[in-house]
Amino acid sequence: MHKKIAIICLLPLISLMLVSLVFAGADGQTSKTNDKSPLKLAGLLDKLLDPKSKESKMLSGAVSILGSTSEMDYKSERTIGESLALEGFHRYGLPVKDKALQAYVNLVGNAVARNSDRPNIPYNFVVVESPLQNAFSCPGGIIFVSSGLLKTIQSEDQLAGVLAHEVAHVGHKHALQSIQRAQFFDGVGKITSATMEGKKGKEFENMIGSLQNTLFDKGLDQNMEFEADRSALKTAYRTGYDPNGFIQVLKELKRIQSQSTQKGSWFSTHPPLGQRIQNCQDQLRRYPDAKTLAHLPDRFKQYQKHIPN
Amino acid sequence: MKKRHFSVSLATILIFWAITVFAGGAMWVSSENAKLKSAPKASSKTLSTLAVGTKVSVLESENRWYRLRSASGKEGWMYRGKLSDAPPAKETDSSDNLFSSMQSSSISADEAQTSRSIRGLSKETEQYAKQRKTPKVYKKALDQVLAIRVTDKEVDLFLMRGKIGEYAP
């Protein structure tokens, strides 16, 4: 008898809980910021809610922030990024000499970066002269995009998606994760002038070499790429660009893949495009009004003309 | 005994419900330059700008805007893209442990400002370039890249001209 009463009481309460959760996530946004952290409350909710549901993911994100907060200081991260950027110019080419184009890419990039998972660090974007279809990000927020890739892109929402993908790598510290076991970090808490000299200095160089190998040739872990893709769609959407623009870039790259140079490009450093497109299209369902958002092909093309042939 | 079990179950459910309702109504400012407006449109008066990480209670929504109240009692409208349903990751500006956690971080408003005002190559990068005998042309290129600074105002103007996000008709 008591059990029956308990069940009768339980039903409206659970309904209320669900309604309140749906209300909170009504805009289609979900946060993936910390969805890897183990959490007691999330675990508890997962027993009641479908673990794949928007609500459960939202809640797991909501509480995961209670986890650890300590990590590499920003200045050390930036030094790694700057050193890698110097190698990036060596490998891919110098910046395109056009202030208007560079300023435009920095505006699109900063617009999305302000709505990214890591909005409060400085971001710098640079278009480098290279026929390779490529974009990559250095730790700390320096982001490269090749003139070759810019020529493939057709509209501002597409560019926003690509830049948001690279911003996401910075936000999730993907490149840093790939070097966290580097010898350089043995006994080093912070990068200083002293750690750049002698044996440690050599180890730092080796570490930058290893980063180059990962970012320019081998590619990051596939799951990192998928995570950056998900973040790219979310960030573009939050800014007000159609997240489908990013998928259009992936589709175009897939179309031209067979006649493009593979080595050192997005083709060789990223997971198979078909799988990425499929994953992104699944993710796109979260953004039902995506098509009504900004595309801006004309403004993009106005600046695309600045790219040298 | 059964009555006691029932009471305990009911109390647990009520507490659990209260927690979820609390979590459901709350959102967090997750973007830089998150303006609180007097009405659900970008052209309305800016009441204040809320810092990243500010917790707010959502009171109602209209189109792509939320009416909300901050813990300090500020009320107004904010474009949906500035908010998320989970607290944003935080950032640390100083730590002795480089890799204790790669997934999350914490930053104070002051530290964020410091980070965003960094200009030019760091002293350590200069050392790296010297050791590697990096050609001057690459150092100059990086200096030029780092010299470009985009202000919130410039981003706003850019978004307005493109009718993007909160500036969409």
Side-chain angles (χ1 to χ4, degrees):
Chain A
M1 182 63 185
H2 283 146
K3 273 185 186 171
K4 279 184 184 170
I5 295 168
I7 290 165
I8 291 164
C9 289
L10 191 67
L11 286 173
L13 287 170
I14 289 178
S15 311
L16 277 167
M17 279 156 45
L18 289 171
V19 166
S20 62
L21 289 169
V22 168
F23 172 69
D27 65 338
Q29 286 178 195
T30 52
S31 175
K32 284 272 180 186
T33 312
N34 293 291
D35 51 5
K36 283 182 180 172
S37 300
L39 292 150
K40 286 178 186 171
L41 181 56
L44 186 63
L45 280 165
D46 285 348
K47 289 175 188 168
L48 275 168
L49 301 167
D50 173 5
K52 286 180 181 171
S53 73
K54 180 173 69 180
E55 292 76 20
S56 75
K57 281 179 183 172
M58 184 186 82
L59 268 169
S60 67
V63 291
S64 63
I65 196 68
L66 300 173
S68 171
T69 56
S70 141
E71 62 177 41
M72 179 186 280
D73 67 296
Y74 180 72
K75 281 179 187 167
S76 297
E77 180 183 350
R78 187 84 180 181
T79 296
I80 295 172
E82 287 174 5
S83 304
L84 182 69
L86 291 173
E87 303 300 340
F89 292 125
H90 179 67
R91 173 73 184 260
Y92 290 99
L94 287 166
V96 171
K97 283 180 186 153
D98 189 292
K99 281 188 179 174
L101 175 69
Q102 300 289 2
Y104 171 71
V105 172
N106 271 278
L107 280 165
V108 178
N110 274 283
V112 293
R114 274 158 172 71
N115 301 305
S116 71
D117 292 327
R118 200 179 176 195
N120 42 14
I121 59 164
Y123 287 89
N124 297 92
F125 299 82
V126 57
V127 184
V128 291
E129 225 171 316
S130 167
L132 291 171
Q133 315 275 351
N134 199 21
F136 66 91
S137 51
C138 305
I142 304 166
I143 290 164
F144 282 61
V145 55
S146 71
S147 55
L149 184 56
L150 270 195
K151 282 179 187 168
T152 305
I153 290 171
Q154 294 298 315
S155 55
E156 195 170 296
D157 61 328
Q158 295 185 9
L159 173 63
V162 169
L163 299 181
H165 172 95
E166 296 306 327
V167 164
H169 280 313
V170 177
H172 294 295
K173 304 193 174 179
H174 287 154
L176 290 180
Q177 286 180 57
S178 74
I179 50 162
Q180 62 179 310
R181 285 185 191 85
Q183 212 174 6
F184 172 77
F185 293 115
D186 287 345
V188 169
K190 217 170 185 177
I191 298 173
T192 61
S193 285
T195 63
M196 301 298 285
E197 291 167 357
K199 187 172 164 263
K200 275 290 157 208
K202 272 279 164 224
E203 286 173 5
F204 183 85
E205 282 182 44
N206 291 342
M207 181 175 75
I208 299 298
S210 162
L211 256 186
Q212 288 179 68
N213 182 33
T214 300
L215 292 181
F216 303 162
D217 295 301
K218 203 171 62 155
L220 288 161
D221 180 272
Q222 286 210 350
N223 288 329
M224 292 180 181
E225 294 300 344
F226 295 140
E227 186 175 34
D229 284 351
R230 287 195 299 270
S231 291
L233 299 189
K234 185 178 76 177
T235 300
Y237 178 77
R238 285 182 56 195
T239 310
Y241 287 110
D242 182 355
N244 191 41
F246 182 65
I247 303 175
Q248 296 307 314
V249 178
L250 298 182
K251 283 184 176 170
E252 179 59 15
L253 288 173
K254 190 167 188 279
R255 193 184 68 79
I256 61 170
Q257 184 164 15
S258 58
Q259 68 255 31
S260 304
T261 307
Q262 309 289 311
K263 191 173 160 53
S265 74
W266 253 32
F267 301 114
S268 67
T269 58
H270 284 66
L273 286 159
Q275 199 179 347
R276 291 179 72 193
I277 291 165
Q278 186 56 53
N279 289 356
C280 286
Q281 277 172 335
D282 291 345
Q283 170 91 357
L284 200 60
R285 292 195 202 111
R286 290 164 185 252
Y287 312 115
D289 63 342
K291 280 185 181 165
T292 64
L293 301 184
H295 300 97
L296 297 162
D298 295 340
R299 182 157 79 173
F300 176 79
K301 280 170 187 161
Q302 196 186 318
Y303 289 97
Q304 194 182 37
K305 288 177 194 159
H306 293 234
I307 303 168
N309 286 317
Chain B
M1 191 64 184
K2 276 185 178 176
K3 200 172 180 180
R4 197 176 156 200
H5 274 158
F6 171 68
S7 304
V8 170
S9 311
L10 194 63
T12 311
I13 291 160
L14 279 169
I15 291 165
F16 184 54
W17 173 69
I19 290 168
T20 44
V21 166
F22 176 71
M27 290 190 96
W28 284 262
V29 174
S30 299
S31 300
E32 279 293 317
N33 197 22
K35 292 192 186 84
L36 198 61
K37 310 291 281 187
S38 62
K41 51 185 176 182
S43 58
S44 69
K45 193 183 166 193
T46 300
L47 304 172
S48 65
T49 303
L50 300 187
V52 173
T54 304
K55 190 179 176 183
V56 296
S57 304
V58 176
L59 307 171
E60 63 176 303
S61 64
E62 190 178 311
N63 296 325
R64 292 168 183 167
W65 293 77
Y66 284 126
R67 191 165 77 83
L68 48 88
R69 184 190 297 131
S70 72
S72 61
K74 285 176 185 168
E75 266 188 48
W77 292 86
M78 190 170 280
Y79 181 67
R80 68 176 182 191
K82 309 289 177 189
L83 297 160
S84 67
D85 41 34
K90 295 175 183 173
E91 191 88 21
T92 33
D93 211 34
S94 59
S95 165
D96 287 336
N97 191 344
L98 288 158
F99 290 109
S100 58
S101 167
M102 300 302 297
Q103 291 300 320
S104 63
S105 54
S106 68
I107 196 165
S108 70
D110 288 348
E111 284 166 348
Q113 283 306 314
T114 310
S115 293
R116 290 187 71 185
S117 64
I118 289 172
R119 281 168 190 269
L121 264 70
S122 75
K123 193 170 61 182
E124 291 78 16
T125 310
E126 292 278 5
Q127 278 176 274
Y128 171 80
K130 197 176 168 190
Q131 277 160 21
R132 293 277 299 168
K133 296 186 175 68
T134 303
K136 273 186 185 165
V137 65
Y138 300 143
K139 273 175 62 183
K140 197 179 159 199
L142 185 54
D143 263 332
Q144 283 170 350
V145 169
L146 298 180
I148 298 178
R149 275 286 174 270
V150 178
T151 65
D152 289 340
K153 210 173 167 183
E154 285 168 330
V155 170
D156 278 339
L157 193 62
F158 182 74
L159 293 173
M160 194 192 296
R161 284 179 178 155
K163 295 180 180 159
I164 301 161
E166 62 200 284
Y167 299 100

PDB file of all heavy atoms in Angstrom, chain B residues 138-161:
ATOM      1  N   TYR B 138      61.141  34.640 -39.514  1.00  0.00           N
ATOM      2  CA  TYR B 138      60.061  33.921 -38.800  1.00  0.00           C
ATOM      3  C   TYR B 138      59.723  34.631 -37.487  1.00  0.00           C
ATOM      4  O   TYR B 138      58.571  34.700 -37.093  1.00  0.00           O
ATOM      5  CB  TYR B 138      60.450  32.465 -38.520  1.00  0.00           C
ATOM      6  CG  TYR B 138      60.730  31.655 -39.764  1.00  0.00           C
ATOM      7  CD1 TYR B 138      61.739  30.691 -39.801  1.00  0.00           C
ATOM      8  CD2 TYR B 138      59.980  31.847 -40.921  1.00  0.00           C
ATOM      9  CE1 TYR B 138      61.995  29.956 -40.946  1.00  0.00           C
ATOM     10  CE2 TYR B 138      60.228  31.129 -42.078  1.00  0.00           C
ATOM     11  CZ  TYR B 138      61.240  30.191 -42.077  1.00  0.00           C
ATOM     12  OH  TYR B 138      61.497  29.478 -43.213  1.00  0.00           O
ATOM     13  N   LYS B 139      60.782  35.139 -36.832  1.00  0.00           N
ATOM     14  CA  LYS B 139      60.537  35.864 -35.580  1.00  0.00           C
ATOM     15  C   LYS B 139      59.735  37.136 -35.847  1.00  0.00           C
ATOM     16  O   LYS B 139      58.810  37.471 -35.112  1.00  0.00           O
ATOM     17  CB  LYS B 139      61.887  36.243 -34.929  1.00  0.00           C
ATOM     18  CG  LYS B 139      62.436  35.146 -34.025  1.00  0.00           C
ATOM     19  CD  LYS B 139      63.814  35.484 -33.502  1.00  0.00           C
ATOM     20  CE  LYS B 139      63.826  36.719 -32.658  1.00  0.00           C
ATOM     21  NZ  LYS B 139      65.183  37.086 -32.216  1.00  0.00           N
ATOM     22  N   LYS B 140      60.097  37.801 -36.932  1.00  0.00           N
ATOM     23  CA  LYS B 140      59.399  39.034 -37.301  1.00  0.00           C
ATOM     24  C   LYS B 140      57.926  38.708 -37.643  1.00  0.00           C
ATOM     25  O   LYS B 140      57.011  39.434 -37.242  1.00  0.00           O
ATOM     26  CB  LYS B 140      60.104  39.669 -38.507  1.00  0.00           C
ATOM     27  CG  LYS B 140      59.730  41.107 -38.720  1.00  0.00           C
ATOM     28  CD  LYS B 140      60.476  41.690 -39.921  1.00  0.00           C
ATOM     29  CE  LYS B 140      59.731  42.916 -40.444  1.00  0.00           C
ATOM     30  NZ  LYS B 140      60.119  43.258 -41.804  1.00  0.00           N
ATOM     31  N   ALA B 141      57.747  37.611 -38.355  1.00  0.00           N
ATOM     32  CA  ALA B 141      56.382  37.201 -38.725  1.00  0.00           C
ATOM     33  C   ALA B 141      55.548  36.960 -37.472  1.00  0.00           C
ATOM     34  O   ALA B 141      54.402  37.426 -37.369  1.00  0.00           O
ATOM     35  CB  ALA B 141      56.434  35.934 -39.584  1.00  0.00           C
ATOM     36  N   LEU B 142      56.134  36.260 -36.501  1.00  0.00           N
ATOM     37  CA  LEU B 142      55.378  35.962 -35.277  1.00  0.00           C
ATOM     38  C   LEU B 142      55.092  37.238 -34.485  1.00  0.00           C
ATOM     39  O   LEU B 142      53.985  37.411 -33.954  1.00  0.00           O
ATOM     40  CB  LEU B 142      56.147  34.946 -34.410  1.00  0.00           C
ATOM     41  CG  LEU B 142      55.415  34.455 -33.159  1.00  0.00           C
ATOM     42  CD1 LEU B 142      54.037  33.894 -33.484  1.00  0.00           C
ATOM     43  CD2 LEU B 142      56.238  33.392 -32.422  1.00  0.00           C
ATOM     44  N   ASP B 143      56.066  38.135 -34.455  1.00  0.00           N
ATOM     45  CA  ASP B 143      55.854  39.417 -33.773  1.00  0.00           C
ATOM     46  C   ASP B 143      54.658  40.158 -34.373  1.00  0.00           C
ATOM     47  O   ASP B 143      53.835  40.714 -33.655  1.00  0.00           O
ATOM     48  CB  ASP B 143      57.106  40.298 -33.896  1.00  0.00           C
ATOM     49  CG  ASP B 143      57.988  40.192 -32.660  1.00  0.00           C
ATOM     50  OD1 ASP B 143      57.438  39.921 -31.572  1.00  0.00           O
ATOM     51  OD2 ASP B 143      59.209  40.354 -32.780  1.00  0.00           O
ATOM     52  N   GLN B 144      54.582  40.134 -35.694  1.00  0.00           N
ATOM     53  CA  GLN B 144      53.487  40.835 -36.376  1.00  0.00           C
ATOM     54  C   GLN B 144      52.140  40.173 -36.075  1.00  0.00           C
ATOM     55  O   GLN B 144      51.134  40.842 -35.889  1.00  0.00           O
ATOM     56  CB  GLN B 144      53.741  40.879 -37.886  1.00  0.00           C
ATOM     57  CG  GLN B 144      54.783  41.929 -38.255  1.00  0.00           C
ATOM     58  CD  GLN B 144      55.236  41.844 -39.695  1.00  0.00           C
ATOM     59  OE1 GLN B 144      54.917  40.881 -40.403  1.00  0.00           O
ATOM     60  NE2 GLN B 144      55.989  42.824 -40.139  1.00  0.00           N
ATOM     61  N   VAL B 145      52.156  38.843 -36.029  1.00  0.00           N
ATOM     62  CA  VAL B 145      50.914  38.105 -35.737  1.00  0.00           C
ATOM     63  C   VAL B 145      50.437  38.447 -34.323  1.00  0.00           C
ATOM     64  O   VAL B 145      49.257  38.711 -34.101  1.00  0.00           O
ATOM     65  CB  VAL B 145      51.134  36.580 -35.874  1.00  0.00           C
ATOM     66  CG1 VAL B 145      49.953  35.801 -35.325  1.00  0.00           C
ATOM     67  CG2 VAL B 145      51.382  36.214 -37.328  1.00  0.00           C
ATOM     68  N   LEU B 146      51.375  38.473 -33.383  1.00  0.00           N
ATOM     69  CA  LEU B 146      51.007  38.722 -31.984  1.00  0.00           C
ATOM     70  C   LEU B 146      50.626  40.179 -31.744  1.00  0.00           C
ATOM     71  O   LEU B 146      49.965  40.494 -30.750  1.00  0.00           O
ATOM     72  CB  LEU B 146      52.153  38.311 -31.049  1.00  0.00           C
ATOM     73  CG  LEU B 146      52.541  36.833 -31.073  1.00  0.00           C
ATOM     74  CD1 LEU B 146      53.678  36.561 -30.101  1.00  0.00           C
ATOM     75  CD2 LEU B 146      51.357  35.941 -30.747  1.00  0.00           C
ATOM     76  N   ALA B 147      51.043  41.049 -32.659  1.00  0.00           N
ATOM     77  CA  ALA B 147      50.733  42.471 -32.479  1.00  0.00           C
ATOM     78  C   ALA B 147      49.267  42.772 -32.800  1.00  0.00           C
ATOM     79  O   ALA B 147      48.729  43.782 -32.377  1.00  0.00           O
ATOM     80  CB  ALA B 147      51.639  43.306 -33.369  1.00  0.00           C
ATOM     81  N   ILE B 148      48.630  41.879 -33.552  1.00  0.00           N
ATOM     82  CA  ILE B 148      47.219  42.120 -33.904  1.00  0.00           C
ATOM     83  C   ILE B 148      46.356  41.863 -32.671  1.00  0.00           C
ATOM     84  O   ILE B 148      46.377  40.772 -32.102  1.00  0.00           O
ATOM     85  CB  ILE B 148      46.758  41.213 -35.076  1.00  0.00           C
ATOM     86  CG1 ILE B 148      47.563  41.523 -36.331  1.00  0.00           C
ATOM     87  CG2 ILE B 148      45.263  41.382 -35.331  1.00  0.00           C
ATOM     88  CD1 ILE B 148      47.212  40.653 -37.530  1.00  0.00           C
ATOM     89  N   ARG B 149      45.639  42.880 -32.252  1.00  0.00           N
ATOM     90  CA  ARG B 149      44.739  42.752 -31.114  1.00  0.00           C
ATOM     91  C   ARG B 149      43.334  43.150 -31.543  1.00  0.00           C
ATOM     92  O   ARG B 149      43.146  44.206 -32.141  1.00  0.00           O
ATOM     93  CB  ARG B 149      45.180  43.670 -29.965  1.00  0.00           C
ATOM     94  CG  ARG B 149      46.223  43.039 -29.079  1.00  0.00           C
ATOM     95  CD  ARG B 149      45.584  41.969 -28.191  1.00  0.00           C
ATOM     96  NE  ARG B 149      46.584  41.248 -27.435  1.00  0.00           N
ATOM     97  CZ  ARG B 149      47.195  40.142 -27.850  1.00  0.00           C
ATOM     98  NH1 ARG B 149      46.876  39.623 -29.029  1.00  0.00           N
ATOM     99  NH2 ARG B 149      48.095  39.556 -27.116  1.00  0.00           N
ATOM    100  N   VAL B 150      42.382  42.287 -31.271  1.00  0.00           N
ATOM    101  CA  VAL B 150      41.004  42.583 -31.645  1.00  0.00           C
ATOM    102  C   VAL B 150      40.235  42.924 -30.375  1.00  0.00           C
ATOM    103  O   VAL B 150      40.208  42.135 -29.435  1.00  0.00           O
ATOM    104  CB  VAL B 150      40.367  41.372 -32.371  1.00  0.00           C
ATOM    105  CG1 VAL B 150      38.918  41.654 -32.708  1.00  0.00           C
ATOM    106  CG2 VAL B 150      41.153  41.041 -33.628  1.00  0.00           C
ATOM    107  N   THR B 151      39.627  44.102 -30.343  1.00  0.00           N
ATOM    108  CA  THR B 151      38.886  44.507 -29.145  1.00  0.00           C
ATOM    109  C   THR B 151      37.443  44.004 -29.199  1.00  0.00           C
ATOM    110  O   THR B 151      36.932  43.665 -30.275  1.00  0.00           O
ATOM    111  CB  THR B 151      38.859  46.040 -29.015  1.00  0.00           C
ATOM    112  OG1 THR B 151      38.113  46.565 -30.134  1.00  0.00           O
ATOM    113  CG2 THR B 151      40.259  46.634 -29.019  1.00  0.00           C
ATOM    114  N   ASP B 152      36.804  43.979 -28.032  1.00  0.00           N
ATOM    115  CA  ASP B 152      35.396  43.575 -27.968  1.00  0.00           C
ATOM    116  C   ASP B 152      34.535  44.481 -28.849  1.00  0.00           C
ATOM    117  O   ASP B 152      33.595  44.037 -29.498  1.00  0.00           O
ATOM    118  CB  ASP B 152      34.889  43.636 -26.520  1.00  0.00           C
ATOM    119  CG  ASP B 152      35.483  42.522 -25.662  1.00  0.00           C
ATOM    120  OD1 ASP B 152      35.958  41.515 -26.238  1.00  0.00           O
ATOM    121  OD2 ASP B 152      35.480  42.655 -24.431  1.00  0.00           O
ATOM    122  N   LYS B 153      34.884  45.753 -28.846  1.00  0.00           N
ATOM    123  CA  LYS B 153      34.118  46.729 -29.629  1.00  0.00           C
ATOM    124  C   LYS B 153      34.204  46.407 -31.126  1.00  0.00           C
ATOM    125  O   LYS B 153      33.213  46.485 -31.849  1.00  0.00           O
ATOM    126  CB  LYS B 153      34.688  48.128 -29.355  1.00  0.00           C
ATOM    127  CG  LYS B 153      33.669  49.226 -29.460  1.00  0.00           C
ATOM    128  CD  LYS B 153      34.294  50.537 -29.016  1.00  0.00           C
ATOM    129  CE  LYS B 153      33.387  51.690 -29.413  1.00  0.00           C
ATOM    130  NZ  LYS B 153      33.955  52.984 -29.086  1.00  0.00           N
ATOM    131  N   GLU B 154      35.422  46.045 -31.561  1.00  0.00           N
ATOM    132  CA  GLU B 154      35.602  45.702 -32.984  1.00  0.00           C
ATOM    133  C   GLU B 154      34.815  44.446 -33.345  1.00  0.00           C
ATOM    134  O   GLU B 154      34.219  44.360 -34.424  1.00  0.00           O
ATOM    135  CB  GLU B 154      37.096  45.491 -33.279  1.00  0.00           C
ATOM    136  CG  GLU B 154      37.886  46.789 -33.336  1.00  0.00           C
ATOM    137  CD  GLU B 154      39.397  46.581 -33.345  1.00  0.00           C
ATOM    138  OE1 GLU B 154      39.874  45.571 -32.765  1.00  0.00           O
ATOM    139  OE2 GLU B 154      40.090  47.427 -33.918  1.00  0.00           O
ATOM    140  N   VAL B 155      34.813  43.474 -32.439  1.00  0.00           N
ATOM    141  CA  VAL B 155      34.051  42.238 -32.690  1.00  0.00           C
ATOM    142  C   VAL B 155      32.557  42.571 -32.776  1.00  0.00           C
ATOM    143  O   VAL B 155      31.847  42.103 -33.672  1.00  0.00           O
ATOM    144  CB  VAL B 155      34.318  41.174 -31.597  1.00  0.00           C
ATOM    145  CG1 VAL B 155      33.344  40.009 -31.721  1.00  0.00           C
ATOM    146  CG2 VAL B 155      35.747  40.664 -31.679  1.00  0.00           C
ATOM    147  N   ASP B 156      32.078  43.421 -31.854  1.00  0.00           N
ATOM    148  CA  ASP B 156      30.668  43.810 -31.859  1.00  0.00           C
ATOM    149  C   ASP B 156      30.273  44.468 -33.187  1.00  0.00           C
ATOM    150  O   ASP B 156      29.240  44.144 -33.770  1.00  0.00           O
ATOM    151  CB  ASP B 156      30.375  44.792 -30.710  1.00  0.00           C
ATOM    152  CG  ASP B 156      30.155  44.051 -29.402  1.00  0.00           C
ATOM    153  OD1 ASP B 156      29.839  42.852 -29.443  1.00  0.00           O
ATOM    154  OD2 ASP B 156      30.311  44.672 -28.333  1.00  0.00           O
ATOM    155  N   LEU B 157      31.130  45.376 -33.633  1.00  0.00           N
ATOM    156  CA  LEU B 157      30.861  46.099 -34.871  1.00  0.00           C
ATOM    157  C   LEU B 157      30.842  45.129 -36.060  1.00  0.00           C
ATOM    158  O   LEU B 157      29.975  45.213 -36.940  1.00  0.00           O
ATOM    159  CB  LEU B 157      31.944  47.173 -35.066  1.00  0.00           C
ATOM    160  CG  LEU B 157      31.672  48.227 -36.130  1.00  0.00           C
ATOM    161  CD1 LEU B 157      30.435  49.040 -35.790  1.00  0.00           C
ATOM    162  CD2 LEU B 157      32.889  49.167 -36.258  1.00  0.00           C
ATOM    163  N   PHE B 158      31.764  44.204 -36.033  1.00  0.00           N
ATOM    164  CA  PHE B 158      31.878  43.191 -37.093  1.00  0.00           C
ATOM    165  C   PHE B 158      30.621  42.313 -37.126  1.00  0.00           C
ATOM    166  O   PHE B 158      30.065  42.033 -38.192  1.00  0.00           O
ATOM    167  CB  PHE B 158      33.128  42.340 -36.824  1.00  0.00           C
ATOM    168  CG  PHE B 158      33.393  41.289 -37.849  1.00  0.00           C
ATOM    169  CD1 PHE B 158      33.894  41.618 -39.103  1.00  0.00           C
ATOM    170  CD2 PHE B 158      33.162  39.945 -37.560  1.00  0.00           C
ATOM    171  CE1 PHE B 158      34.153  40.632 -40.048  1.00  0.00           C
ATOM    172  CE2 PHE B 158      33.425  38.961 -38.497  1.00  0.00           C
ATOM    173  CZ  PHE B 158      33.913  39.303 -39.743  1.00  0.00           C
ATOM    174  N   LEU B 159      30.172  41.896 -35.948  1.00  0.00           N
ATOM    175  CA  LEU B 159      28.971  41.058 -35.866  1.00  0.00           C
ATOM    176  C   LEU B 159      27.736  41.862 -36.292  1.00  0.00           C
ATOM    177  O   LEU B 159      26.844  41.344 -36.971  1.00  0.00           O
ATOM    178  CB  LEU B 159      28.776  40.524 -34.444  1.00  0.00           C
ATOM    179  CG  LEU B 159      29.827  39.518 -33.941  1.00  0.00           C
ATOM    180  CD1 LEU B 159      29.612  39.207 -32.466  1.00  0.00           C
ATOM    181  CD2 LEU B 159      29.794  38.222 -34.743  1.00  0.00           C
ATOM    182  N   MET B 160      27.713  43.130 -35.910  1.00  0.00           N
ATOM    183  CA  MET B 160      26.571  43.987 -36.252  1.00  0.00           C
ATOM    184  C   MET B 160      26.483  44.153 -37.765  1.00  0.00           C
ATOM    185  O   MET B 160      25.408  44.010 -38.345  1.00  0.00           O
ATOM    186  CB  MET B 160      26.763  45.354 -35.576  1.00  0.00           C
ATOM    187  CG  MET B 160      25.510  46.213 -35.560  1.00  0.00           C
ATOM    188  SD  MET B 160      25.869  47.914 -35.086  1.00  0.00           S
ATOM    189  CE  MET B 160      26.434  47.705 -33.426  1.00  0.00           C
ATOM    190  N   ARG B 161      27.614  44.419 -38.401  1.00  0.00           N
ATOM    191  CA  ARG B 161      27.633  44.613 -39.852  1.00  0.00           C
ATOM    192  C   ARG B 161      27.215  43.339 -40.591  1.00  0.00           C
ATOM    193  O   ARG B 161      26.618  43.402 -41.650  1.00  0.00           O
ATOM    194  CB  ARG B 161      29.010  45.056 -40.324  1.00  0.00           C
ATOM    195  CG  ARG B 161      29.259  46.520 -39.995  1.00  0.00           C
ATOM    196  CD  ARG B 161      30.633  46.969 -40.441  1.00  0.00           C
ATOM    197  NE  ARG B 161      30.831  48.376 -40.168  1.00  0.00           N
ATOM    198  CZ  ARG B 161      32.004  48.953 -39.990  1.00  0.00           C
ATOM    199  NH1 ARG B 161      33.105  48.218 -40.080  1.00  0.00           N
ATOM    200  NH2 ARG B 161      32.105  50.239 -39.739  1.00  0.00           N
TER     201      ARG B 161
END
